[in-house]
Amino acid sequence: MNWKTFLALLGRDAHVARRNFIPLLLQTFLQPMMFVFIFGRVMVSSGYMPAAYKSLLLPGIMAISMVFTGVWAVAMPLIAEFQFTREIEDRLLAPIEISWLAIEKVIFGTLQALVAGLAVIPMAWLLLRPVEFNLHSPLSFAFVTLLVALFSSCGGLALGCSVDQAHIGLMFSMVLTPMIFFGCTYYPWSALAHFPILQKIVLVNPLVYASEGLRGTLVPQFPHLSLLAVLVALTLFDVALLGVGLRQFHSKAVS
Amino acid sequence: MVGIRTHDLRKVYNSAPPLAAGGTFAFSTARGKKAPKNEIVALNGLSLNISSGEIFGLLGPNGAGKSTTVGILTTRVRPTEGQAWIGEHEVWREQVAVKRLIGVVAQRPNLDFSLTAREILLFHGAYFGLDSRARAERADELLDRFKLRERAEQMVRGFSGGMMHRLSIARAMMHDPQILFLDEPSAGLDPQTRLLLWEIIREYNQRGKTILLTTHNLEEADALCQRLAIIDHGRNIAMGTPSELKASVPGGFVLRLRFGRQSPELLQRLQGLAGVREVRAHEVASSAGKRGADAGLSDINSIDVYADRGGSLISEIANLASAASVELCDVHISEPSLENLFLHHTGRSMRE
Ligand SMILES: Nc1ncnc2c1ncn2[C@@H]1O[C@H](COP(=O)(O)OP(=O)(O)OP(=O)(O)O)[C@@H](O)[C@H]1O
Ligand SMILES: [Mg+2]
């Protein structure tokens, strides 16, 4: 491991992100902002939703925002850079094991996902006042948030190295969208009690643990999965996705 | 000082057949049998030994396996069998140590499109741990050398093909590598830039660096390389200095002679010399052109001698000429071309 090279790789991504700051900002925050506004404000103040829904919704939006940002931040550049133009080649030739390049992408994506997730909180606070946070254990919140961010960027790595340019649309409509709708983002997992089979099936969806984990640490007054289950599941998903992602990265990088 | 060695390299690419070509259909029809594999043997037992400080050329037609060889030597392609070494490091096992020693210009431009030309050089330097001052100095130097100064602050997306190519070469030289790999360095360059590139390559070599380049341009290989390997179908079919290789072809030399006058007798004698394969006489079309039939012009006669030696024939020819009291006015020896060589070793022309 070679720190100078690793930092230079991070520096390159930071530089490119800085250059694309405005589009990045819009892409990260516009969607959660609209969500918060429509569901939390319009629906609630018109009386179609109870006021408590605002607080219930918040962790879900945070989870969506993080997953979208993390996957997007890692997968999209990888897909583009592994294309015919092989933009990544120069970095593959940098004097460092190529796995570190993948890890650098994951770290950078994790940071972006963290920013996107944490920014939802002040945004919600501004648009939805009052919201009832109940941050009883900041440490477990921080831990869950970190695991969610890691999950999203590792997922981005695995997807970005498995999907080619022609199938980006498919990736969003077949993977991300169902994941979000069946990810307990707009409702707590316990709300699926009337659909016992579905309730079991959605447990394979990592986003369930992300939403429920954030719900449990941010607004624990609502029903949620046990924190232990969430931590174990998210850790397993993180490790598995990182493993798959690294393997796919290698097979893309070397012919 | 670092050399390059490969031993019995083999590379088999496994590319899945595209669905459109009946790939899925084949499964259902050919039951019990294995699905047909689409294997391409790109290298088939290639051994090379390149000394440090050498400009070495890999010459061969399209699909011969040149880029695959470069790919294996630069950690980008995993060999199916065999080994490759850069200096003392086995390429596949010690990738990081190898990557420190090499600079690579790929056949297809692979610039980082999110950056400007200067940033590409600066970040490349940073990946190799150059400090920021050294980076900036070296980048400026290379931008000047490759005549890219005015475009330095522009995104490379808008560069012309040749400019991208120049920048790729500059980038490969940024960290001053011991070995430079150039996969078809002069493809797509205008004649002037090509000459500039040749000069840069020679200069870099004079600083003790090893250079491996690939080309299918015979002229370039001849002009630039100290040694060559001719590759075909993933095998090394001939290796040596350009002139050694050319001398290995029988009858590869052409001696273009001009005599003071015509002499059928001399022609016969020339045919009898050891090593001469063929003698062809033809009249020189002088400035007088059509009036060539006139007595005054027909006595200036040109003869091409195809032989398998060059310079050593001259004294014998001169002796024959003086014996026949014919004046020898002009001699030009052209060495056999690499094209003939390829033809000789493979039985087919390079352009086939
Ligand atoms: N990534 C790949 N996947 C499958 N086959 C490949 C791949 N790269 C090269 N090949 C095949 O390997 C063979 C050798 O290719 P290579 O690129 O090494 O040739 P080359 O000598 O560089 O040719 P050129 O002069 O056209 O650049 C070709 O038949 C090519 O189709
Ligand atoms: Mg090639």
Side-chain angles (χ1 to χ4, degrees):
Chain A
M1 169 58 175
N2 173 0
W3 280 107
K4 268 190 182 172
T5 306
F6 191 76
L7 290 178
L9 292 171
L10 266 177
R12 182 258 171 211
D13 279 353
H15 184 82
V16 173
R18 212 162 36 236
R19 176 166 284 151
N20 301 328
F21 186 66
I22 302 286
L24 206 64
L25 204 69
L26 291 176
Q27 176 204 313
T28 311
F29 295 123
L30 209 58
Q31 208 199 9
M33 211 146 83
M34 290 189 296
F35 254 117
V36 168
F37 182 73
I38 300 296
F39 282 91
R41 188 119 196 170
V42 175
M43 305 285 266
V44 171
S45 47
S46 58
Y48 287 104
M49 295 268 192
Y53 188 62
K54 293 195 287 194
S55 312
L56 176 80
L57 189 64
L58 181 67
I61 292 193
M62 204 173 143
I64 294 175
S65 176
M66 290 176 83
V67 167
F68 247 101
T69 305
V71 169
W72 191 282
V74 180
M76 296 305 277
L78 274 175
I79 291 173
E81 288 166 2
F82 271 124
Q83 273 303 295
F84 189 73
T85 52
R86 301 289 289 185
E87 286 174 59
I88 204 166
E89 198 86 8
D90 188 38
R91 279 164 278 157
L92 291 173
L93 284 166
I96 193 166
E97 288 88 1
I98 57 175
S99 300
W100 287 107
L101 177 56
I103 290 170
E104 181 271 330
K105 295 264 174 208
V106 166
I107 289 179
F108 197 72
T110 304
L111 290 177
Q112 266 176 273
L114 281 176
V115 171
L118 292 176
V120 168
I121 294 176
M123 197 158 71
W125 185 79
L126 277 176
L127 286 171
L128 298 182
R129 267 168 302 173
V131 202
E132 290 160 44
F133 298 121
N134 194 351
L135 200 58
H136 61 104
S137 162
L139 194 69
S140 45
F141 170 72
F143 213 67
V144 170
T145 311
L146 187 67
L147 285 176
V148 174
L150 269 172
F151 147 67
S152 65
S153 54
C154 292
L157 180 69
L159 282 174
C161 295
S162 315
V163 173
D164 58 50
Q165 189 126 45
H167 300 134
I168 293 177
L170 217 57
M171 170 177 107
F172 279 93
S173 61
M174 299 295 291
V175 180
L176 285 180
T177 311
M179 215 166 99
I180 285 168
F181 279 100
F182 294 104
C184 301
T185 46
Y186 309 129
Y187 47 87
W189 183 69
S190 57
L192 290 174
H194 299 293
F195 311 89
I197 297 174
L198 185 64
Q199 198 179 27
K200 299 288 179 307
I201 293 176
V202 296
L203 287 177
V204 303
N205 181 354
L207 195 56
V208 169
Y209 304 95
S211 319
E212 290 283 296
L214 290 172
R215 200 165 281 133
T217 51
L218 208 55
V219 285
Q221 66 270 33
F222 295 101
H224 55 81
L225 286 175
S226 92
L227 197 62
L228 185 68
V230 165
L231 290 177
V232 170
L234 281 179
T235 308
L236 289 179
F237 275 114
D238 283 2
V239 171
L241 283 171
L242 184 64
V244 171
L246 283 176
R247 219 196 56 210
Q248 291 295 98
F249 184 82
H250 270 267
S251 70
K252 272 242 166 180
V254 178
S255 44
Chain B
M1 298 291 260
V2 188
I4 303 169
R5 222 151 34 94
T6 74
H7 179 251
D8 261 344
L9 277 184
R10 244 177 86 76
K11 176 67 192 178
V12 180
Y13 288 106
N14 257 322
S15 51
L19 293 179
T24 34
F25 202 64
F27 271 108
S28 51
T29 51
R31 245 185 226 209
K33 282 186 206 164
K34 265 191 183 173
K37 273 190 201 157
N38 218 7
E39 289 191 338
I40 298 171
V41 181
L43 290 182
N44 195 1
L46 183 81
S47 298
L48 292 172
N49 202 339
I50 300 168
S51 333
S52 59
E54 197 169 27
I55 304 184
F56 192 92
L58 289 181
L59 187 75
N62 289 144
K66 303 183 295 295
S67 298
T68 303
T69 309
V70 171
I72 289 176
L73 286 168
T74 56
T75 76
R76 308 302 316 116
V77 174
R78 179 183 196 146
T80 311
E81 274 169 52
Q83 279 106 41
W85 292 268
I86 297 286
E88 288 312 303
H89 305 288
E90 207 210 304
V91 178
W92 189 252
R93 298 243 171 83
E94 300 164 73
Q95 301 198 1
V96 178
V98 165
K99 288 195 277 188
R100 269 186 205 293
L101 292 170
I102 61 174
V104 186
V105 180
Q107 184 168 7
R108 296 192 299 226
N110 55 11
L111 298 171
D112 195 336
F113 282 145
S114 317
L115 303 175
T116 67
R118 186 192 302 279
E119 284 166 357
I120 283 177
L121 297 182
L122 293 178
F123 274 112
H124 183 89
Y127 302 154
F128 281 85
L130 266 63
D131 66 57
S132 62
R133 232 185 86 192
R135 253 182 278 164
E137 276 172 17
R138 184 99 180 114
D140 280 339
E141 199 181 298
L142 286 166
L143 286 167
D144 277 341
R145 193 80 178 89
F146 284 90
K147 304 200 176 8
L148 288 166
R149 195 57 177 267
E150 299 95 81
R151 310 292 290 256
E153 314 303 335
Q154 294 178 12
M155 304 294 281
V156 291
R157 228 173 256 287
F159 276 27
S160 77
M163 284 159 63
M164 288 191 194
H165 195 65
R166 262 141 63 195
L167 186 61
S168 310
I169 300 169
R171 183 182 66 184
M173 294 170 86
M174 184 70 193
H175 59 289
D176 203 27
Q178 289 300 316
I179 302 184
L180 197 55
F181 288 91
L182 298 156
D183 201 350
E184 301 198 11
S186 50
L189 295 182
D190 61 50
Q192 210 180 340
T193 313
R194 174 190 280 209
L195 288 180
L196 171 71
L197 175 67
W198 288 7
E199 188 188 311
I200 291 173
I201 291 175
R202 289 198 186 104
E203 214 176 78
Y204 199 69
N205 173 247
Q206 264 148 32
R207 291 174 40 212
K209 314 285 190 176
T210 310
I211 291 160
L212 185 136
L213 58 88
T214 77
T215 178
H216 25 95
N217 184 328
L218 306 162
E219 195 193 334
E220 176 170 77
D222 205 1
L224 209 51
C225 299
Q226 288 146 14
R227 277 199 318 145
L228 293 173
I230 298 187
I231 312 264
D232 190 41
H233 294 312
R235 288 173 176 281
N236 184 350
I237 57 173
M239 184 147 95
T241 65
S243 43
E244 267 170 22
L245 283 180
K246 287 182 285 193
S248 73
V249 182
F253 283 87
V254 180
L255 288 87
R256 190 149 264 210
L257 312 170
R258 219 171 62 179
F259 294 103
R261 69 179 173 84
Q262 211 167 10
S263 161
E265 174 198 4
L266 176 60
L267 233 109
Q268 210 111 69
R269 293 247 174 94
L270 285 174
Q271 201 103 55
L273 287 175
V276 172
R277 300 284 163 125
E278 196 184 336
V279 177
R280 268 189 226 157
H282 54 90
E283 287 178 358
V284 167
S286 69
S287 56
K290 294 271 185 268
R291 288 192 292 135
D294 290 3
L297 285 164
S298 60
D299 64 359
I300 296 192
N301 224 305
S302 174
I303 293 178
D304 286 346
V305 175
Y306 292 81
D308 48 26
R309 40 198 193 114
S312 59
L313 266 173
I314 298 297
S315 61
E316 292 164 47
I317 291 170
N319 287 343
L320 283 183
S322 65
S325 52
V326 177
E327 190 194 357
L328 179 58
C329 309
D330 190 28
V331 178
H332 181 261
I333 305 174
S334 69
E335 297 195 347
S337 68
L338 287 162
E339 177 115 54
N340 293 347
L341 179 64
F342 191 81
L343 187 72
H344 170 68
H345 283 284
T346 63
R348 57 197 174 83
S349 158
M350 268 187 76
R351 304 195 206 293
E352 261 169 36

